[in-house]
Amino acid sequence: MYQAAKHSSKLQKNGLDDDLSLVEGSTSASHRLSLYDQPPLYDITVEDFETSALDRLRILAEIESSAARNRSWEETKQVTITQCGKYLPLNSNSALGIDLQSERRKDQLGHFVLRLAFCRSEELRRRFVKAETTLFRVRYETDDSNERRAFLDSKDFNWISVGSEEKNKYQAQLTHFAPGKSDTERENAFKSEPFYKVKWTTIPDLVDKRKVFMKGGFAYVPAREQASIIYAAFEERLDAALLATSRAIPLVDEETRLNPILDNLAQGFTAGVPSDWHFPLCMRVLHQTLRRDRHIQHFGRLHYGLFLKVLGLKIDEAIIFWRKSFAGGKGSDKFDKEYRYNIRHSFGLEGGRRNYPAKNCLQLHTAHEAGCPYRQLENSPENLQSALLSTYSGQGLTLDDLPEIMTQVKKKAYHVACTRVFEITHSRHVKKGEGLGDGESVTHPNQYAARSIELEKDSQEPKMEVD
């Protein structure tokens, strides 16, 4: 995938600025499922490069949101299927009247673009692998059984089919892992159940749950647990591929057109927050700090926590979100001791039991810590402009927009600057001067977010045609 940077330089010289030639040739995908072991082999436009990645990012962000909200597997699967239907449909070979190759090209391209964006740090690689593995699992469970078997037959998962002689040799041990409530039921199931042998280190989840028999460094896996081998193989190969891509990333860093796109994609991968929700800069800065440092100071936690509460985050979800955000969920005792009380207090469940409201813009303007970035960075215009571009360049804000915004900042009209950013990033729905709609200006971070979510939902709802 990273060959794109090399080839795009050649295209620039030929005057073809809008194209990125990845590798000469074409590609086709025989199966709906993929291990993404070969990069795309076709030319793309910069627009396709970004669009395919953003649509896939919506799916991965919703998967992270499901984890942060502690959704069950069935709930996560259903939400993911729904999101895929909107942004990343991927039909089986048996589907009629569908351009399957177009769907699979977009799926492949989006995956490899995001590899470039998320290979740059260990934390990003870990989160990307986890979300992609979940997406693969959803597709695996919902795939046509015959097509899934054809996919498995086409790949080498490094398993060894256990022959009848070896199976009988360990019958006493293997029967224990056959399904059934009685010895007779398990013995009957054992006779028809195939077993596969893999290195035990490749399936730690089954080993931890004691669902396999181990002997001589190998785990004997019953066929009904075969999916665990496949998920582990997907995760292991993607992890290795990301590491290899990270070592080759200097080739892409030479390509200035791609860097802003990749940087924005990486910053937009926010746990617990769907990627199509546009937050005001004050809350985006706090979230980015939390993702980067695994911690934010007291007033940052207060402001961002109240913002999320008003947005709809429940107390149980909030505790899960903050625990996972701090040091990757480690140090549970320390978290409970130092932070849990304050979170419950902000929900009115401790102390004076006052249900605190989220801070409005005026309160953030006067805050000395974790306040309005337009005010706090007023004397550091380069930093403010950099923050705006890194946060909103993927949502339509460009260098040409900055002078107008900075003019309002210099006038100390911070709310006007923020409102103009909203208009620019929501230009499909509002025009310049309309603010949030009907000329209303931004006066509260939750007002900004709620209006953004409302506009996004309206744009996705089917419109009724009237004759």
Side-chain angles (χ1 to χ4, degrees):
M1 179 60 198
Y2 48 78
Q3 296 180 50
K6 264 193 303 191
H7 289 274
S8 62
S9 297
K10 178 181 70 176
L11 288 169
Q12 280 183 303
K13 293 176 183 178
N14 293 333
L16 302 175
D17 284 346
D18 291 335
D19 291 317
L20 296 174
S21 177
L22 276 73
V23 184
E24 294 181 3
S26 61
T27 189
S28 63
S30 301
H31 309 287
R32 176 173 175 264
L33 296 172
S34 176
L35 296 181
Y36 305 101
D37 43 14
Q38 293 294 329
L41 305 177
Y42 49 86
D43 294 348
I44 62 169
T45 64
V46 174
E47 181 180 1
D48 287 342
F49 182 93
E50 183 172 15
T51 300
S52 64
L54 285 172
D55 284 345
R56 192 180 193 90
L57 187 61
R58 293 174 185 265
I59 312 300
L60 301 187
E62 193 60 58
I63 288 172
E64 279 211 331
S65 176
S66 293
R69 293 172 179 268
N70 202 28
R71 287 172 176 155
S72 68
W73 170 246
E74 288 303 320
E75 290 173 329
T76 297
K77 184 163 72 170
Q78 190 53 57
V79 167
T80 304
I81 291 171
T82 300
Q83 290 293 96
C84 284
K86 291 180 181 179
Y87 304 112
L88 196 63
L90 196 63
N91 286 278
S92 299
N93 292 336
S94 57
L96 300 177
I98 302 293
D99 186 351
L100 297 178
Q101 291 306 315
S102 177
E103 287 185 348
R104 293 174 189 184
R105 281 161 65 109
K106 181 180 179 180
D107 178 69
Q108 294 278 326
L109 178 58
H111 171 87
F112 277 92
V113 173
L114 292 185
R115 274 196 194 182
L116 289 176
F118 301 127
C119 72
R120 302 181 175 196
S121 74
E122 183 178 353
E123 168 67 7
L124 285 175
R125 290 194 294 269
R126 180 191 64 78
R127 293 171 59 201
F128 181 66
V129 168
K130 185 176 181 180
E132 280 281 342
T133 303
T134 300
L135 176 59
F136 178 84
R137 180 183 171 188
V138 170
R139 289 173 170 174
Y140 184 89
E141 290 188 2
T142 57
D143 201 25
D144 176 89
S145 58
N146 292 329
E147 292 183 27
R148 182 170 58 205
R149 175 51 53 189
F151 164 75
L152 295 179
D153 290 343
S154 70
K155 301 296 181 181
D156 180 10
F157 288 96
N158 298 317
W159 60 47
I160 303 171
S161 294
V162 178
S164 57
E165 182 178 346
E166 186 175 11
K167 182 180 176 182
N168 291 332
K169 179 180 179 181
Y170 298 115
Q171 178 176 353
Q173 293 89 340
L174 296 179
T175 300
H176 174 74
F177 298 99
K181 296 181 179 179
S182 66
D183 291 342
T184 301
E185 289 178 346
R186 285 192 290 271
E187 288 174 4
N188 291 333
F190 165 77
K191 294 176 183 178
S192 59
E193 177 106 57
F195 281 81
Y196 301 90
K197 190 166 61 173
V198 297
K199 291 183 177 179
W200 71 268
T201 53
T202 64
I203 50 168
D205 59 327
L206 294 182
V207 173
D208 288 344
K209 296 175 183 177
R210 299 184 178 182
K211 290 188 175 183
V212 292
F213 166 63
M214 292 192 293
K215 183 72 174 180
F218 286 94
Y220 289 72
V221 182
R224 69 181 184 282
E225 301 288 355
Q226 186 183 39
S228 291
I229 304 176
I230 299 160
Y231 303 151
F234 179 90
E235 187 172 331
E236 181 181 4
R237 295 181 190 192
L238 179 55
D239 192 50
L242 282 169
L243 193 57
T245 305
S246 70
R247 292 167 180 162
I249 203 68
L251 293 174
V252 177
D253 286 339
E254 298 171 359
E255 175 50 72
T256 57
R257 290 179 301 161
L258 302 187
N259 281 333
I261 298 174
L262 296 175
D263 289 343
N264 182 70
L265 289 171
Q267 292 166 357
F269 194 24
T270 55
V273 181
S275 61
D276 52 0
W277 290 6
H278 301 173
F279 286 2
L281 186 61
C282 53
M283 297 300 130
R284 291 297 298 227
V285 167
L286 290 173
H287 189 91
Q288 289 163 7
T289 301
L290 178 62
R291 300 309 304 167
R292 183 189 68 237
D293 300 338
R294 315 300 293 173
H295 189 269
I296 49 179
Q297 296 299 319
H298 170 74
F299 286 104
R301 296 196 303 274
L302 175 63
H303 296 165
Y304 191 46
L306 291 174
F307 169 78
L308 293 177
K309 182 188 75 170
V310 173
L311 202 62
L313 202 67
K314 306 301 182 185
I315 179 61
D316 292 341
E317 297 171 338
I319 290 173
I320 293 170
F321 171 78
W322 287 106
R323 177 181 284 119
K324 289 188 175 183
S325 296
F326 288 168
K330 298 179 181 179
S332 180
D333 291 341
K334 179 179 179 181
F335 175 87
D336 289 340
K337 182 178 180 180
E338 297 184 11
Y339 305 116
R340 187 185 183 95
Y341 177 89
N342 286 337
I343 295 171
R344 288 178 53 80
H345 189 275
S346 68
F347 276 79
L349 300 175
E350 300 287 355
R353 298 187 179 276
R354 176 188 172 193
N355 194 3
Y356 292 91
K359 304 299 182 182
N360 59 37
C361 290
L362 182 60
Q363 290 170 314
L364 293 176
H365 290 165
T366 58
H368 295 291
E369 182 185 321
C372 173
Y374 296 100
R375 185 192 68 80
Q376 293 186 329
L377 295 177
E378 178 182 1
N379 296 323
S380 303
E382 296 83 4
N383 291 339
L384 177 55
Q385 292 178 76
S386 177
L388 286 166
L389 284 174
S390 65
T391 302
Y392 297 114
S393 61
Q395 297 166 8
L397 188 142
T398 68
L399 280 169
D400 294 337
D401 298 314
L402 295 180
E404 180 183 5
I405 296 170
M406 297 306 297
T407 296
Q408 299 301 328
V409 172
K410 291 178 182 178
K411 293 179 180 179
K412 301 188 183 302
Y414 310 121
H415 69 293
V416 177
C418 187
T419 302
R420 183 60 189 134
V421 170
F422 183 94
E423 293 173 342
I424 293 168
T425 56
H426 296 77
S427 58
R428 291 184 302 160
H429 311 289
V430 296
K431 298 178 182 179
K432 184 176 180 179
E434 291 183 344
L436 304 183
D438 298 328
E440 185 180 11
S441 297
V442 175
T443 58
H444 199 296
N446 284 98
Q447 171 202 29
Y448 185 117
R451 182 58 176 154
S452 176
I453 296 168
E454 179 184 356
L455 292 174
E456 183 65 29
K457 287 182 177 179
D458 287 346
S459 68
Q460 293 176 6
E461 291 180 356
K463 304 300 181 183
M464 183 179 296
E465 296 184 3
V466 180
D467 294 333

